């Protein structure tokens, strides 16, 4: 740690203890040792002293041994040449400073009784409230236990301007934080700045002006101590349990505003004992390693616009957004809503324009919490019924965030965007499809609100791993295409993680019921060698999702009691699917499309369909808008098999499944593929060629698959297959 800040804390503590000693000596001469002393209307005496030492200070004479203890806690100032960077000395000095500050404040009540109003809000006769009494503690302290008050900020000093002070206060209020104000910098305090701007202060508004002196900081720490004693069951004098409680249950931090002198350093060191870190807007020495506090101890040079969010992050305090600020109704009730073409103002992605969505882990220096940007035209620049490209990049920083969690959060985008009334979203990765209704547009819904939704929901529902969220949106065609190329590299790396896994070497599969809002009877089961239909949920992703949220839509499905090894059927999987499909689906075989195949929702990346005349299957991807040899387009086929229906000979799949060793294994595997759209075939060529080589199908197998350049009529396809000697023609009949 910094020798400079340790030395300042120790000097400040020594000065405060000396000051307290002088004031106590004067009071003893005037009033005598039996004079009653303390804070008004409380049974907790002087709470910091009482909580840490167990001493009940009720008379002036009781303060003498307290200050003697404080003197013993103040170490020598670090030597210039040789000094061991030990935090303990500074922490001891900080505790001594708090004992001295509480002594000074108790004497102030005795010798200057008009210093504090003792009320719950400032009045024309006085700004400073002083220590909270037990009535306030009982009402307000419980809020720190039940979560209605997530924490408090101790603001020491003044903001650089009155306007900045108001913004700081409002941000804390928006986050439901209490603000405890004391001390001054540059001759003004934050409370005086708020008063000058007519801001209403007091316990009711959670803006509490404690006192003008830096020693009033002890009122805030004393309040935390009383919460632990009153609601945490901590016994007075059990300092180890007390400090553990405040560290783990009372989420407070100190905002050092303006210049920081020795006395402020001493109080800051005292706050560190309670697990309350210090975040400063000036260039003070930092203490970055963790140990006493959850994360860093002292962080400096934080911009004002980031001060509160940075302090919350350092404290480990998770602030959730109770109401998503969008101009339409918002909630799970709208998740199953459909925006039809005639009701649509604008659409993105799907088969019309390029689109994708990506969640990625980023470093703290690259993510500005709450930042939402849009490049390109907004929806009001498009004529009704028009279309735009759309790229969505969500950058997330979190101390506990891991790359394995990215796809889990990415899949939730589908969920959250559908919560907005008049917004419709299906698909994932680079096959997403979004529509905004005329009604939503008329109410003022714009593209930025997509970012607002994602920020609010990711911060609230994944608070344990997410500290900062930044959303970038683009409707510029060139930019979206370029970003999509980068996103596909992310997708490919995620898919590659599964290469070493197999269905045989795990004993658990995982479900995904996220799409049951659209398909109530659909239960997707994700295997190591079979990605989810949407293409975004791999076995690893589902396992990570279950770790993040054990009660969420990804649940473990035991792999027990094999019924058909070749077809991929287990009794335990059937039981799980039967239960979670509400008894609609009795059995599923994972390695075949012909007998009890897995159901399909509506978010699948591609669709497999039987072509009986060719003794094989066609595969058509969502982006292909043309006709297929089945006599139907993708959208018509999808409408026929989606919604959780089990349809032998038809099945939705994720693109990555085409490269799996288990791809239609019981039906003959890759050798059954007789037709694919040309663009899709080229996109998947590396995957198909690798799989074909492993299956012994020859280096030219991909070129023996027909596409629309050959034709979409069965007769045309069959002639091509015979010419190319496609292996499907020599396999056993599908019927």
């Amino acid at each position: 740690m910094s020798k400079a800040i340790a030395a300042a804390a120790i000097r400040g503590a020594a000065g405060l203890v000396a000051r307290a000693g002088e004031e106590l000596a004067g009071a003893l001469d005037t009033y005598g040792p039996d004079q009653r002393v303390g804070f008004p209307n409380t049974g907790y005496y002087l709470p910091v002293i009482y909580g840490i030492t167990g001493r009940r200070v009720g008379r002036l004479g009781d303060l003498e041994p307290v200050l003697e203890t404080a003197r013993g806690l103040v170490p020598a100032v670090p030597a210039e040449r040789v000094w061991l960077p030990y935090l303990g000395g500074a922490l001891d000095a900080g505790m001594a400073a708090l004992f001295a500050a509480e002594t000074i404040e108790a004497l102030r009540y005795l010798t200057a009784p008009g210093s504090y109003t003792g009320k719950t809000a400032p009045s024309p006769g006085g700004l400073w409230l002083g220590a909270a009494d037990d009535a306030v503690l009982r009402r307000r302290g419980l809020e720190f236990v039940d979560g209605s008050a997530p924490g408090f900020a101790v603001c020491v000093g003044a903001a650089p301007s009155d306007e900045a002070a108001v913004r700081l206060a409002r941000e804390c209020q928006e986050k439901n934080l209490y603000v405890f104000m004391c001390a001054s910098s540059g001759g003004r305090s934050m409370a005086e700045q708020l008063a000058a701007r007519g801001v209403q202060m007091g316990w009711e508004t959670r803006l509490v002006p404690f006192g003008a002196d830096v020693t009033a900081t002890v009122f805030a720490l004393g309040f935390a101590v009383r919460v632990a004693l009153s609601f945490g069951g901590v016994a007075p004098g059990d300092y180890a349990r007390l400090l553990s409680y405040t560290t783990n249950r009372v989420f407070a931090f100190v905002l050092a505003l303006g210049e920081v002198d020795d006395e402020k350093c001493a109080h800051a060191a005292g706050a560190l004992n309670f697990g309350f870190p210090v975040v400063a807007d000036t260039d003070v020495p930092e203490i970055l390693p963790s140990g006493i506090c959850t994360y860093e101890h002292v962080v400096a040079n934080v911009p004002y616009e980031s001060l509160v969010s940075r302090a919350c992050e350092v404290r480990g305090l998770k602030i959730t957004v109770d109401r998503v600020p969008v101009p339409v109704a918002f909630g799970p009730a709208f998740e199953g809503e459909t925006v039809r073409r005639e009701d649509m103002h604008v659409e993105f992605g799907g088969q019309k324009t390029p689109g994708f969505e990506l969640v990625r882990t980023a470093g703290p220096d690259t993510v500005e919490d709450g930042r939402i940007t849009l490049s390109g035209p907004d929806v009001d620049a498009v004529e009704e019924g028009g279309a735009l490209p759309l790229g969505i990049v969500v950058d997330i920083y979190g101390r506990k965030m891991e790359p394995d969690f990215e796809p889990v959060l990415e899949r939730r985008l589908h969920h959250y965007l559908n919560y907005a009334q008049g917004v419709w979203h299906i698909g994932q990765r680079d096959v997403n499809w979004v529509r905004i209704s005329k009604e939503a547009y008329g109410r003022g819904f714009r593209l930025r609100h997509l970012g607002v939704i994602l920020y609010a929901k990711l911060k609230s529902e994944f608070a344990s791993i997410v500290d900062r969220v930044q959303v970038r949106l683009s409707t510029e065609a060139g930019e979206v295409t370029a970003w999509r190329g980068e996103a596909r590299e992310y997708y490919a790396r995620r898919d590659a993680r599964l290469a070493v896994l197999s269905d045989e070497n795990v004993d658990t599969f995982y479900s995904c019921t996220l799409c049951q809002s659209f398909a109530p009877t659909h239960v997707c089961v994700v295997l190591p060698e079979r990605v989810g239909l949407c293409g975004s949920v791999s076995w690893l992703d589902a396992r990570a999702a279950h770790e993040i949220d054990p009660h969420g839509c990804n649940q473990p499905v035991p792999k027990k009691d094999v019924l058909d090894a070749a077809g991929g059927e287990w009794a335990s999987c059937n039981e799980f699917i039967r239960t979670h499909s509400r008894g609609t689906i009795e059995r599923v075989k994972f390695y075949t499309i012909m007998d009890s195949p897995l159901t399909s929702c509506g978010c699948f990346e591609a669709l497999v369909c039987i072509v009986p005349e060719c003794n094989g299957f066609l595969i058509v991807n969502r982006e292909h808008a043309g006709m297929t040899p089945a006599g139907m387009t993708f959208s018509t086929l999808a409408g026929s098999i989606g919604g959780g229906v089990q349809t032998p000979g038809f099945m939705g799949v994720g693109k990555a499944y085409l490269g799996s060793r288990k791809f239609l294994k019981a039906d003959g595997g890759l050798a059954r593929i007789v037709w694919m759209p040309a663009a899709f075939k080229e996109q998947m060529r590396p995957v198909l060629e690798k799989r074909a080589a492993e299956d012994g199908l020859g280096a030219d197998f991909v070129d023996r698959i027909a596409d629309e350049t050959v034709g979409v009529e069965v007769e045309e396809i069959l002639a091509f297959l015979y010419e190319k000697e496609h292996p499907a023609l020599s396999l056993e009949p599908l019927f």
Side-chain angles (χ1 to χ4, degrees), residues 96-151:
L98 298 184
F99 289 173
E102 206 161 45
T103 298
I104 291 168
E105 290 297 340
L107 294 174
R108 194 188 310 275
Y109 271 102
L110 175 64
T111 61
S115 300
Y116 301 121
T117 68
K119 299 179 180 179
T120 59
S123 63
L127 173 64
W128 304 108
L129 306 185
D133 64 22
D134 284 354
V136 170
L137 172 70
R138 283 191 294 272
R139 183 178 177 188
R140 305 294 171 175
L142 186 60
E143 295 176 352
F144 294 94
V145 179
D146 65 17
S148 52

Side-chain angles (χ1 to χ4, degrees), residues 17 156 231 334 441 551 671:
V17 171
V156 180
F231 302 104
F334 302 104
Y441 172 77
H551 305 292

Side-chain angles (χ1 to χ4, degrees), residues 537-553:
V537 182
S538 71
W539 183 86
L540 287 171
D541 302 333
R543 185 180 66 173
H546 181 66
E547 291 176 5
I548 296 171
D549 182 7
H551 305 292
C553 62

Side-chain angles (χ1 to χ4, degrees), residues 48-329:
V48 172
I49 295 169
Y50 183 50
I52 295 296
T53 69
R55 289 172 175 159
R56 302 181 178 186
V57 174
R59 303 177 305 114
L60 278 177
D62 296 334
L63 286 169
E64 290 184 292
V66 170
L67 287 184
E68 192 60 36
T69 299
R71 294 185 187 98
L73 288 172
V74 181
V77 175
E80 285 296 323
R81 297 179 62 85
V82 180
W83 176 70
L84 297 177
Y86 177 53
L87 183 58
L91 293 174
D92 287 347
M95 192 60 73
L98 298 184
F99 289 173
E102 206 161 45
T103 298
I104 291 168
E105 290 297 340
L107 294 174
R108 194 188 310 275
Y109 271 102
L110 175 64
T111 61
S115 300
Y116 301 121
T117 68
K119 299 179 180 179
T120 59
S123 63
L127 173 64
W128 304 108
L129 306 185
D133 64 22
D134 284 354
V136 170
L137 172 70
R138 283 191 294 272
R139 183 178 177 188
R140 305 294 171 175
L142 186 60
E143 295 176 352
F144 294 94
V145 179
D146 65 17
S148 52
F152 63 79
V154 184
C155 293
V156 180
S161 67
D162 293 357
E163 293 76 12
V166 173
R167 287 195 300 270
L168 185 64
R170 295 305 187 211
E171 184 177 358
C172 289
Q173 286 178 308
E174 289 171 359
K175 290 177 166 57
N176 293 325
L177 297 168
Y178 276 85
V179 179
F180 296 154
M181 294 169 282
C182 56
S184 62
S185 56
R188 296 192 77 196
S189 68
M190 180 176 170
E192 289 169 331
Q193 292 177 308
L194 297 183
R197 287 292 181 268
V199 175
Q200 185 177 356
M201 289 180 282
W203 284 95
E204 290 296 333
T205 62
R206 302 194 177 193
L207 302 175
V208 183
F210 271 141
D213 198 335
V214 68
T215 53
T217 305
V218 81
F219 294 146
L221 299 178
F223 187 84
V225 169
R226 291 157 72 190
V227 169
L229 297 178
S230 180
F231 302 104
V234 177
D238 188 353
Y239 64 87
R241 188 177 172 199
L242 170 61
L243 299 179
S244 175
Y245 184 93
T246 56
T247 298
N248 297 308
R249 298 293 300 276
V250 181
F251 290 92
F253 51 83
V254 177
L255 296 181
L257 310 178
E259 75 272 5
V260 178
D261 57 21
D262 288 353
E263 288 192 352
K264 289 180 181 178
C265 281
H267 282 85
L272 296 182
N273 283 282
F274 293 87
F276 303 163
V278 179
V279 177
D281 62 348
T282 56
D283 187 18
V284 300
E286 295 185 310
I287 307 176
L288 297 181
S290 60
I292 306 301
C293 298
T294 305
Y295 299 117
E296 296 88 354
H297 295 80
V298 179
V299 178
N301 283 323
V302 179
Y304 248 82
E305 60 271 16
S306 305
L307 202 59
V308 177
S309 61
R310 184 77 171 102
C312 290
E313 178 188 317
V314 171
R315 181 61 183 93
L317 173 57
K318 305 296 184 178
I319 303 295
T320 60
V321 180
D322 295 326
R323 182 185 178 276
V324 180
V326 292
V328 296

Side-chain angles (χ1 to χ4, degrees), residues 620 624-634 675 677 708 711-713:
V620 57
H624 183 68
M627 187 56 66
T628 74
M632 293 178 279
T633 62
F634 175 90
W675 189 92
E708 71 272 24
V712 294
E713 298 294 335

